[in-house]
Amino acid sequence: MFVMLTESEARPVIHLLLHVVVPAAVALIWYRERWWRAWLWMLAGWLIDLDHLLADPIYAPGRCSIGFHPLHAAPATFVYALLCVPQRTRLLGLGLLIHVGLDAIDCLMM
């Protein structure tokens, strides 16, 4: 059975799917020989959502993460960009930047 979602219900679902699909696409395009490992490292960018545990309520569908949560703020994003410089931390940094970018897009769609 096909369930139709309203726009307000579909946005969070699409947002979560993009957090999986975009890193997978980046891994498949630029890290083809080791795409699985690259994808998993970029998915580790979801760890910054641990800062949601500091908020009350933990999840608020209408709240923009950018600038509200400490790991979604500009200083943290600068650190994530620096993580992209050394090859050893590049995939994690890229995953964190993708995560923040997708969250920023989600904020614009609210």
Side-chain angles (χ1 to χ4, degrees):
M1 182 166 105
F2 184 72
V3 177
M4 196 68 148
L5 298 175
T6 65
E7 183 179 337
S8 62
E9 294 169 332
R11 188 186 51 77
V13 173
I14 293 168
H15 177 71
L16 290 174
L17 286 173
L18 287 174
H19 275 295
V20 175
V21 172
V22 171
V26 170
L28 286 167
I29 293 169
W30 283 287
Y31 298 95
R32 186 169 296 276
E33 286 96 37
R34 54 189 181 117
W35 74 268
W36 179 252
R37 176 179 263 174
W39 181 54
L40 289 177
W41 273 109
M42 286 187 275
L43 283 181
W46 252 339
L47 288 172
I48 67 170
D49 277 344
L50 288 173
D51 63 3
H52 289 246
L53 296 174
L54 301 171
D56 185 28
I58 292 172
Y59 174 71
R63 180 173 60 211
C64 176
S65 295
I66 304 300
F68 182 84
H69 300 293
L71 296 177
H72 290 74
T77 304
F78 178 73
V79 173
Y80 307 152
L82 291 178
L83 285 173
C84 291
V85 176
Q87 185 176 356
R88 189 167 181 85
T89 58
R90 185 168 297 145
L91 289 171
L92 178 59
L94 189 55
L96 290 163
L97 288 177
I98 289 169
H99 183 101
V100 171
L102 290 172
D103 283 359
I105 291 169
D106 191 51
C107 290
L108 293 174
M109 293 176 67
M110 288 184 191

